[in-house]
Amino acid sequence: MEPPHGDDKPHLPSPSIWPVGFAVGIACTLAGLVVSRPAAIAGAVIAIVFGALWARDAMRAGKAPAVEAPPEALAATAVDGEPDEIERFPRNKFLELSTLGLGGVITAVVALPVIGFAVLPAFTDQEQATVDLGPMDNFPEGKWIETTFFLSPTLGEVSRRTAFVRYNGLLQDLPSFTLISNRCVHLGCPVQASGPRNDNQKKAVKTADAEISLTPILPANFSCPCHGGAYDTEGNRIAGPPVRALDRFKYSILDGRLHLIETYSVASVDGEGAQAQIHAYGRQGPGEHVDGPEGWLYPLQPQDLEG
Ligand code: FES
C-alpha cells in the first residue's frame, strides 16, 4: 500500500493577520472617538489599511486558478458515467465572505451612529447668531469696558454673559478689538476684573437684540473667586488651577457696530492689544487642555451650549 502523499491534503488558505489588524483598528477608532481625536484617526487608518489588505487577499483567493485534480481523484468522483459534481462555491470561501460581510454590518451598526454624532454637527447649524453690542463709539480706544448682554434674549437671564472688551485701534485699517469671556477655564465660575470699576459711568445701550450694559473698568488682571485662578489682561493664566488662557469672542463690525459672534478657546497669547499673537483653538469646555500632550490625551467633550 502506497503511503499517502503530503500534497493530497486539501489546500487551505494560510491564516492571515489582516482581520485581527482590522478589528484592532475599529476598536481604536471607537475608543478614540471617546478618548482622543488623534487616536480615532490612527485607528481609522489602521482599520482602512488592514481592511484593504484583507479584502485584497480575499479577492486573490477568489481568483486563484483551479488546481488540476490528479487523475485518480477524477476517477473517484465519476460514478457510472454521471457528470462530476463540481463544488462551485467552496465552504471556506463562503465562510470567509460571510465573516467579512457580518463584520462589515456590525461595524456599520456600531460605528455609523457614533461617526454621525461626531461629524454631522459640523455640517448643521451653520448660521451663527451674533449679538449687537452697539456702535463702536461705545468702546473708547485703549479702555476696558465690562459688557453684559443676553446671548439669546428669548432665554432671558440664563443666557446672560459678560465679556471684557477693549478697542485696540486700527490694525491695517481695520478695527481691532480684544473680547475676553469672563467664564473661568478651570470650572466655569465668573471671572472678575481686579481693579477699579466706574459703576457711576455704567450705561445701558438698547440694541435690536437686547439691552446691553457697559461699565468702564481698569483691570490690573482678571481673577476667579472660586479657586484662586488668575489671568493677565490678555487672558493668559498667571496663577491657580486653570489649564489655559481665557476664551475669547469672535467679532465682526457691521455698519460701524460691534457684533459679537461665538467664543473660541485660547492656549496662550503672545504680545498684547492689536499686535497680540493668539494661539486659538476650537471651543473647549472648562478644564480642557487645548495644546501639548495633555491636549492629545484629554477626552473629547460634547459641545457645550456656551456662546
Ligand atoms: S473655577 Fe475659576 S479657579 Fe476654579
Side-chain angles (χ1 to χ4, degrees), residues 173-230:
D173 295 334
L174 293 173
S176 161
F177 280 88
T178 299
L179 290 109
I180 296 179
S181 165
N182 83 325
R183 185 175 68 155
C184 182
V185 293
H186 176 221
L187 292 178
C189 285
V191 164
Q192 295 160 1
S194 304
R197 50 185 296 125
N198 295 320
D199 281 316
N200 53 345
Q201 293 177 25
K202 181 174 180 174
K203 64 178 177 182
V205 177
K206 216 148 175 53
T207 68
D209 297 328
E211 197 166 291
I212 311 293
S213 138
L214 306 168
T215 309
I217 53 175
L218 203 61
N221 53 50
F222 301 109
S223 58
C224 178
C226 291
H227 312 101

Side-chain angles (χ1 to χ4, degrees), residues 86-211:
I86 299 169
E87 194 178 9
R88 292 180 184 278
F89 204 79
R91 191 181 306 167
N92 64 341
K93 182 78 183 151
F94 170 75
L95 288 175
E96 189 172 347
L97 288 179
S98 306
T99 310
L100 202 58
L102 196 59
V105 169
I106 292 172
T107 303
V109 167
V110 173
L112 283 183
V114 179
I115 292 169
F117 281 119
V119 173
L120 279 185
F123 299 95
T124 57
D125 296 326
Q126 294 292 309
E127 264 193 33
Q128 290 183 326
T130 65
V131 178
D132 181 0
L133 296 187
M136 279 176 51
D137 299 345
N138 287 333
F139 304 95
E141 185 171 342
K143 307 283 186 207
W144 282 103
I145 305 290
E146 185 182 282
T147 309
T148 62
F149 53 91
F150 293 121
L151 261 188
S152 169
T154 51
L155 292 178
E157 279 298 325
V158 293
S159 71
R160 183 185 287 279
R161 299 288 184 273
T162 297
F164 303 116
V165 183
R166 183 187 59 201
Y167 176 46
N168 301 315
L170 295 176
L171 177 67
Q172 294 172 351
D173 295 334
L174 293 173
S176 161
F177 280 88
T178 299
L179 290 109
I180 296 179
S181 165
N182 83 325
R183 185 175 68 155
C184 182
V185 293
H186 176 221
L187 292 178
C189 285
V191 164
Q192 295 160 1
S194 304
R197 50 185 296 125
N198 295 320
D199 281 316
N200 53 345
Q201 293 177 25
K202 181 174 180 174
K203 64 178 177 182
V205 177
K206 216 148 175 53
T207 68
D209 297 328
E211 197 166 291

Side-chain angles (χ1 to χ4, degrees), residues 18-123:
W18 310 142
V20 177
F22 179 70
V24 169
I26 293 294
C28 284
T29 305
L30 295 177
L33 285 173
V34 177
V35 174
S36 160
R37 199 169 312 183
I41 293 169
V45 171
I46 292 171
I48 289 169
V49 169
F50 278 85
L53 291 169
W54 188 11
R56 186 199 63 176
D57 276 9
M59 306 238 301
R60 272 193 191 157
K63 286 183 191 161
V67 178
E68 204 175 306
E72 315 89 67
L74 287 177
T77 54
V79 180
D80 294 338
E82 284 183 12
D84 295 346
E85 192 175 323
I86 299 169
E87 194 178 9
R88 292 180 184 278
F89 204 79
R91 191 181 306 167
N92 64 341
K93 182 78 183 151
F94 170 75
L95 288 175
E96 189 172 347
L97 288 179
S98 306
T99 310
L100 202 58
L102 196 59
V105 169
I106 292 172
T107 303
V109 167
V110 173
L112 283 183
V114 179
I115 292 169
F117 281 119
V119 173
L120 279 185
F123 299 95

